Amino acid sequence: MVGADGQGSRIRKGILPPDAADPHLRMGIHMAYWFIPRTPADDGNIRNTYLAPGGRMIMRRSHNPTETQVYFVLREGSEEASAIHRAPLDQQKQFWIERFRDAGWQTDRFIQGMMTTPNFYSQEVVQVRTDTWYKGRVVLVGDAAHCASPFSGMGVSGSLVGAYVLAGEINRNMGDLARAFAFYDKTLRPFVNEIQKVNPSLLRLGMPKTRFGISIFLSVTALVALLRIPDVVARFSPEDRDGGWRLPEYTQLNPPKNARRHHLR
């Protein structure tokens, strides 16, 4: 069985030892996103980001002709915030309404769209860090094994690389899953350690609690952009975020034992 059931994986919970530590590294940030009808004013070429006091961020982007995607991001470390994502859907929406109703900008429009959208998702921003990726004939892949958080920018890439390595090791070690899973872990873990290098403190700095803090943050980022510092950093940064990790090559495909071969005539 391959567990690919996300950061809240029930399969992972089933294979972890009873005394295992919580695999979630909590960042004190929460996120909800959904779709609303697009209007002519929604620019499809850029993402708009708005900061409000209280550690709140709103993002809007349009990537198809009829819909706009809305993100509410909240900096909060309360138990209520961590628990709300498992509550009934109407309670989740009410939580976000209460936190953002006075945020300004287009909040009223976004909340109105939230109440009718069929596509709504609320989650805590976490990383999944566990030494247990497999047990017996059960193995974890993607966010279930090593969620790097949305802020890593490596969620899809990490999942695809992990699936590739898992498939390669199973194929290379046909008939010996224990060996295949062990090499999957050994091969992939250095890559995962690199993509999980996300600093929660820096993320929270980008979501100030006060209007004064927002003003300082915007002034600093404007100065950084004026001095073209991001261009300089990008020029001297590696193209990939894998720390030099090399993707293994699995060149020989081994057909399953007793597989029948079919020939076209």
Side-chain angles (χ1 to χ4, degrees):
M1 175 185 287
V2 177
D5 49 340
Q7 69 179 42
S9 173
R10 294 184 180 182
I11 296 175
R12 182 184 64 240
K13 184 177 181 181
I15 69 171
L16 288 181
D19 59 346
D22 185 353
H24 298 106
L25 174 64
R26 305 185 186 279
M27 299 189 173
I29 299 174
H30 305 263
M31 180 181 294
Y33 44 94
W34 62 96
F35 290 91
I36 63 174
R38 182 172 179 172
T39 68
D42 293 341
D43 191 331
N45 297 322
I46 61 174
R47 184 191 73 191
N48 300 104
T49 301
Y50 171 85
L51 296 174
R56 295 175 292 180
M57 176 188 294
I58 300 174
M59 294 182 288
R60 181 195 71 191
R61 70 185 183 99
S62 303
H63 59 280
N64 69 55
T66 61
E67 293 180 311
T68 285
Q69 191 165 12
V70 177
Y71 301 78
F72 278 6
V73 188
L74 177 66
R75 174 183 165 186
E76 182 172 328
S78 71
E79 289 298 325
E80 179 189 5
S82 293
I84 195 62
H85 313 290
R86 298 183 295 274
L89 187 59
D90 59 337
Q91 293 183 26
Q92 293 182 35
K93 291 183 177 182
Q94 188 58 38
F95 169 88
W96 287 103
I97 291 172
E98 291 175 355
R99 293 301 196 276
F100 277 80
R101 68 168 79 245
D102 62 345
W105 192 33
Q106 299 182 28
T107 300
D108 291 343
R109 173 198 171 197
F110 297 155
I111 289 177
Q112 183 178 2
M114 178 202 296
M115 301 311 297
T116 57
T117 182
N119 303 299
F120 175 86
Y121 187 70
S122 177
Q123 69 173 33
E124 183 171 6
V125 176
V126 302
Q127 286 190 344
V128 172
R129 298 192 176 192
T130 174
D131 294 331
T132 303
W133 284 359
Y134 62 93
K135 180 180 180 181
R137 295 176 60 85
V138 180
V139 63
L140 303 174
V141 72
D143 282 355
H146 49 72
C147 175
S149 90
F151 290 105
S152 72
M154 293 293 287
V156 173
S157 297
S159 296
L160 291 176
V161 169
Y164 167 81
V165 173
L166 175 60
E169 293 300 338
I170 291 176
N171 180 73
R172 179 180 285 175
N173 299 278
M174 295 292 293
D176 191 346
L177 282 181
R179 180 179 172 87
F181 292 168
F183 274 101
Y184 160 67
D185 188 311
K186 180 180 180 180
T187 301
L188 187 66
R189 200 167 285 274
F191 169 75
V192 169
N193 291 340
E194 288 295 330
I195 66 174
Q196 286 192 330
K197 289 181 178 178
V198 178
N199 190 324
S201 298
L202 290 179
L203 294 177
R204 291 191 290 269
L205 283 177
M207 302 174 63
K209 287 284 190 177
T210 65
R211 292 190 182 277
F212 179 72
I214 292 174
S215 297
I216 295 297
F217 176 78
L218 294 178
S219 298
V220 171
T221 53
L223 180 61
V224 167
L226 179 64
L227 297 177
R228 306 183 70 84
I229 293 177
D231 294 339
V232 175
V233 173
R235 188 179 308 161
F236 292 98
S237 297
E239 293 184 1
D240 297 318
R241 291 180 243 177
D242 54 21
W245 181 85
R246 302 287 296 179
L247 186 71
E249 293 186 11
Y250 300 102
T251 56
Q252 182 175 350
L253 296 179
N254 298 313
K257 293 181 179 180
N258 302 321
R260 296 181 178 179
R261 295 185 178 181
H262 300 275
H263 299 278
L264 294 177
R265 296 181 179 178

